[in-house]
Amino acid sequence: MESEDKPKLLQNNIGFFYENIISLINMRPKVEFFIKKASDSSIQFSFEGGSAGQVNLDNLMQIKQQIRAINSSVILNCFSLFEASMEWRLLNDLTTEGLSGIQEKIMSKYIDNIIRISNIDNYKSEYKFITGKSIGDLFNEAEKKMFTNIEKFYVLRHLLIHGSAMKMVSIHVSNGEFIRLDEDDREYQNLVSLLNFELKLNISKTFFPIDTLLTLNQVADMLFLSTIQVVKKISHENESKIFKKIKSNGYEQGK
């Protein structure tokens, strides 16, 4: 008969999400799209990779759709990896051991609340509450930049998870009209500005909708590499195999 006083364990899923990302990246078509020319009303792509039999006008759109779908999943799994790591970091300082009665109930409820967090601001505030320090104190300057990258990508997470509409405006010109992004959508525009600067895309901030963004492997890879660096620092005390695997993985070094 099992003991009624068996310990409660929390199993994180960090390794699961990391392995998902690696599998998804390996599944992407061996074709990579780049921005060739962009204006306020149109974008032209160029591509590299693939053979003449693999890439032609008939299947080019299908390849784009596959890349968008895979990059969407890469990005969502990056946020799952990041949030699983933040959760582990917070829970690592919490325990019901030695507690009983109302104290145990309060701690158990607080642990449940940590598990339900799905917002970067809440992770930051709970870290501050538990440790008395800013989450930024964990990082060197390069890692702080990576953490900021993740923060700015959160608008993309929201769009993908909730299927949210994008804010657009209709522009009338002499030869008709076209639709562009609303510059008042500050969070999305901040992400576009970041991508323009870091990836040298040279694209108009007002004509970079989500389908264009997800066509570029560079975008998903930028989030992945930022996430890996931050996760390594957040979870450096964990000695599980997955963290050893992350530290030794060649992909993050661009190999």
Side-chain angles (χ1 to χ4, degrees), residues 8-159:
K8 295 180 180 180
L9 303 175
L10 290 170
Q11 160 124 14
N12 71 62
N13 293 306
I14 295 170
F16 171 76
F17 297 118
Y18 173 73
E19 289 166 358
N20 279 355
I21 297 167
I22 297 301
S23 296
L24 287 163
I25 288 173
N26 289 334
M27 288 167 55
R28 284 191 307 210
K30 305 305 179 186
V31 176
E32 186 151 3
F33 288 91
F34 301 93
I35 302 296
K36 180 179 180 180
K37 184 179 180 181
S39 68
D40 282 338
S41 58
S42 67
I43 291 179
Q44 294 180 17
F45 288 99
S46 62
F47 62 87
E48 293 180 1
S51 64
Q54 294 173 314
V55 182
N56 54 57
L57 292 177
D58 292 332
N59 66 9
L60 198 58
M61 183 55 69
Q62 182 181 359
I63 291 172
K64 278 187 181 180
Q65 290 171 344
Q66 290 174 345
I67 289 174
R68 289 168 183 163
I70 291 172
N71 282 335
S72 297
S73 295
V74 168
I75 287 166
L76 290 177
N77 274 275
C78 281
F79 281 106
S80 296
L81 175 61
F82 170 73
E83 293 189 357
S85 301
M86 283 297 304
E87 179 187 280
W88 174 85
R89 184 78 192 194
L90 296 175
L91 294 178
N92 195 48
D93 294 316
L94 304 176
T95 181
T96 58
E97 186 177 353
L99 302 179
S100 61
I102 188 65
Q103 292 178 326
E104 182 180 13
K105 289 181 180 179
I106 291 172
M107 179 58 76
S108 293
K109 185 176 180 180
Y110 185 60
I111 289 172
D112 288 342
N113 289 339
I114 293 295
I115 292 172
R116 294 189 184 99
I117 292 176
S118 186
N119 178 290
I120 194 166
D121 290 332
N122 288 341
Y123 281 120
K124 289 161 68 175
S125 63
E126 292 300 339
Y127 182 86
K128 177 77 171 178
F129 176 74
I130 292 170
T131 67
K133 299 178 181 179
S134 167
I135 186 71
D137 294 341
L138 275 176
F139 307 125
N140 60 34
E141 289 305 312
E143 292 159 348
K144 285 179 182 177
K145 186 173 178 295
M146 299 292 186
F147 190 88
T148 298
N149 289 349
I150 295 171
E151 287 187 283
K152 290 187 176 180
F153 265 92
Y154 254 85
V155 64
L156 188 54
R157 172 191 180 276
H158 184 82
L159 287 167

Side-chain angles (χ1 to χ4, degrees), residues 130-193:
I130 292 170
T131 67
K133 299 178 181 179
S134 167
I135 186 71
D137 294 341
L138 275 176
F139 307 125
N140 60 34
E141 289 305 312
E143 292 159 348
K144 285 179 182 177
K145 186 173 178 295
M146 299 292 186
F147 190 88
T148 298
N149 289 349
I150 295 171
E151 287 187 283
K152 290 187 176 180
F153 265 92
Y154 254 85
V155 64
L156 188 54
R157 172 191 180 276
H158 184 82
L159 287 167
L160 290 172
I161 287 180
H162 299 291
S164 304
M166 300 192 73
K167 296 178 182 179
M168 313 293 284
V169 293
S170 177
I171 304 297
H172 293 272
V173 293
S174 58
N175 59 346
E177 67 173 335
F178 64 90
I179 305 297
R180 67 165 174 78
L181 295 168
D182 187 348
E183 290 186 74
D184 288 338
D185 190 351
R186 299 298 182 192
E187 288 187 339
Y188 192 84
Q189 291 296 318
N190 286 340
L191 174 61
V192 173
S193 294

